Amino acid sequence: MNLSLTANSILENGSTTLSGSFTDPNPGDTHMVTISWGVGTPNTVLNLGAGVTSIPVTSHQYQDDGTSPGNATPSDSHTINVTVADASASASGSTSITVTNVNPT
């Protein structure tokens, strides 16, 4: 399987979207997609039907630019990891997102 991911850079408290595609020589397989957003939040798990090889647009909100309260850096990079699995194989891919700090209002 090959995996292709897209994501964008955002301001903290904003949401990003992720989508992707993969190939599988057996079109009858169902797939489980696990997305780890890289910030300690629960994974997103998607179950795709037989023959579906596109990861639907999935969004996630990053509430802070850092991983701990009070983080004073101007921005932080987070790695988004994705695994696609069927009954006989799996593939992984990753991309990163930059979350930029904003001044409090």
Side-chain angles (χ1 to χ4, degrees):
M1 289 183 213
N2 295 313
L3 190 59
S4 172
L5 304 174
T6 58
N8 56 347
S9 295
I10 60 170
L11 298 176
E12 67 181 353
N13 292 317
S15 294
T16 188
T17 58
L18 177 115
S19 62
S21 62
F22 54 93
T23 58
D24 189 339
N26 184 352
D29 286 342
T30 60
H31 298 91
M32 183 172 66
V33 178
T34 304
I35 304 170
S36 172
W37 298 101
V39 291
T41 57
N43 292 343
T44 298
V45 177
L46 308 170
N47 292 298
L48 306 181
V52 177
T53 58
S54 294
I55 300 168
V57 174
T58 306
S59 65
H60 182 77
Q61 182 181 21
Y62 286 84
Q63 295 182 358
D64 189 12
D65 70 314
T67 56
S68 62
N71 188 334
T73 60
S75 65
D76 287 296
S77 181
H78 301 284
T79 301
I80 301 168
N81 294 298
V82 178
T83 301
V84 177
D86 64 22
S88 60
S90 67
S92 298
S94 64
T95 190
S96 62
I97 182 169
T98 299
V99 181
T100 301
N101 192 31
V102 296
N103 291 327
T105 57

